[in-house]
Amino acid sequence: MHILPLSKDPQPDEAEFNAFFPSKFSLKEFTSPKSDLEGADYASPYKGNRRILVIGTDERYLRMENDTLFSTGNHPVETLVPMYHLHKAGFEFDIATVSGNPVKFEFWAMPDEDEAITGLHKAYLDQFLSPLKLSDVVRKLGPDTGYAAVFIPGGHGPLAGLPFSDDVASVIRWAFDNDRHLISICHGPAAFLACAQDGAAGGFPFAGYTITAFPDATDSVTPDIGYMPGHLTWKFGEKLKALGVTIANSEPDKSVHKDRKLLTGASPFAANELGKLAAATLLAEVGQG
């Protein structure tokens, strides 16, 4: 019996004109019904009241160089696997978006057979659907605001809005000014660019830092297999490097990196390692509360 190869043509998203999901071939290559979640057993979880602020994307569509739209959002593995580790380590979350509109997910990448991950999504579904508006969060930020860390997950959705948001910049600068941890993965570090255009004193706070992030070079070739329906209009890694950031990885691999209070991961393949790093780091700092 002859089996036809999977198509590399992007799949139409019928909810929007000229919008596309990844091709069947690329989904077979880059998604899995189960994540590689492991090691999320924390003998002495946190029992205090400091929370973690998650900044999700409210952007579904990302315009490509050829004017097609990529139907994207936050990658569920990059979002939920690190959250699962932090959840098991005893932390709870506040979830926010720039507009206060629902968090958009790349549900085509959800590990549907992974009950731990789908269960966590269900547990926080009300917050994902009705998140805080980030400007409201910003108005309440101060030295005593009870966030232990800020988490900015990846997926291509963050490229559409977070790098241009003054509210995102305000949260990031608050984290620096108040010695809080920042956690991000894959395309999430594109949000750091918000601090390059907010006009605040002190310059770009990430200059001299080393991170792991999704490589620009990989983004340049994924349209060849229909993961995106076209090429990106700009490269976030290139912009970060121009501002003095070193990107340690050259492949979309499992690598993670800790530079002072900045914790980053390279790709969805790094989600579990980033979750372990983040949970261990925060527990070492705040103890049991």
Side-chain angles (χ1 to χ4, degrees):
M1 178 180 174
H2 180 65
I3 300 176
L4 294 175
L6 293 174
S7 173
K8 295 182 180 179
D9 294 331
Q11 302 178 84
D13 174 0
E14 295 182 358
E16 182 59 67
F17 175 73
N18 209 27
F20 297 88
F21 297 113
S23 68
K24 292 182 179 179
F25 177 86
S26 63
L27 290 180
K28 180 70 166 60
E29 292 293 307
F30 295 122
T31 67
S32 172
K34 289 192 176 182
S35 73
D36 63 350
L37 175 68
E38 59 85 22
D41 299 311
Y42 299 94
S44 300
Y46 178 62
K47 294 182 173 63
N49 57 10
R50 295 177 69 184
R51 302 168 71 83
I52 295 169
L53 176 64
V54 181
I55 302 179
T57 181
D58 51 16
E59 299 282 352
R60 168 69 67 205
Y61 297 109
L62 180 64
R63 188 174 297 280
M64 302 283 102
E65 199 172 51
N66 60 4
D67 285 332
T68 58
L69 299 176
F70 181 30
S71 187
T72 178
N74 278 130
H75 194 290
V77 169
E78 295 170 9
T79 306
L80 297 168
V81 171
M83 285 181 65
Y84 186 84
H85 278 274
L86 292 163
H87 168 72
K88 294 293 284 184
F91 294 94
E92 295 184 359
F93 307 95
D94 283 347
I95 297 168
T97 62
V98 170
S99 67
N101 290 330
V103 176
K104 303 299 191 294
F105 276 102
E106 298 172 331
F107 278 110
W108 39 262
M110 179 68 79
D112 290 324
E113 296 178 14
D114 201 327
E115 292 183 4
I117 299 307
T118 58
L120 184 68
H121 176 257
K122 184 177 180 180
Y124 277 90
L125 184 58
D126 286 347
Q127 282 202 52
F128 287 129
L129 292 176
S130 299
L132 301 172
K133 188 174 182 179
L134 197 59
S135 60
D136 293 337
V137 176
V138 169
R139 279 194 290 272
K140 297 177 182 179
L141 289 177
D144 298 324
T145 304
Y147 291 127
V150 177
F151 175 40
I152 305 176
H156 282 80
L159 295 176
L162 302 191
F164 314 105
S165 167
D166 287 345
D167 291 322
V168 170
S170 293
V171 172
I172 291 172
R173 291 190 184 277
W174 170 84
F176 271 89
D177 292 344
N178 291 277
D179 204 30
R180 300 303 207 275
H181 282 88
L182 278 166
I183 307 162
S184 196
I185 185 169
C186 202
H187 292 81
F192 302 169
L193 293 167
C195 295
Q197 54 87 51
D198 66 340
F204 187 61
F206 297 94
Y209 275 73
T210 296
I211 69 170
T212 50
F214 199 82
D216 289 341
T218 303
D219 268 333
S220 295
V221 299
T222 56
D224 296 341
I225 59 170
Y227 186 85
M228 295 188 293
H231 289 276
L232 296 173
T233 60
W234 59 283
K235 299 176 180 178
F236 81 96
E238 180 181 277
K239 290 183 179 292
L240 286 172
K241 290 176 184 178
L243 290 164
V245 176
T246 297
I247 298 179
N249 59 298
S250 59
E251 299 293 331
D253 54 26
K254 292 185 176 183
S255 60
V256 296
H257 191 77
K258 178 181 179 181
D259 188 341
R260 288 155 277 188
K261 294 211 164 182
L262 177 61
L263 314 177
T264 51
S267 78
F269 303 120
N272 191 70
E273 292 304 313
L274 182 63
K276 290 194 291 186
L277 175 63
T281 299
L282 291 184
L283 285 175
E285 178 177 278
V286 302
Q288 290 187 318

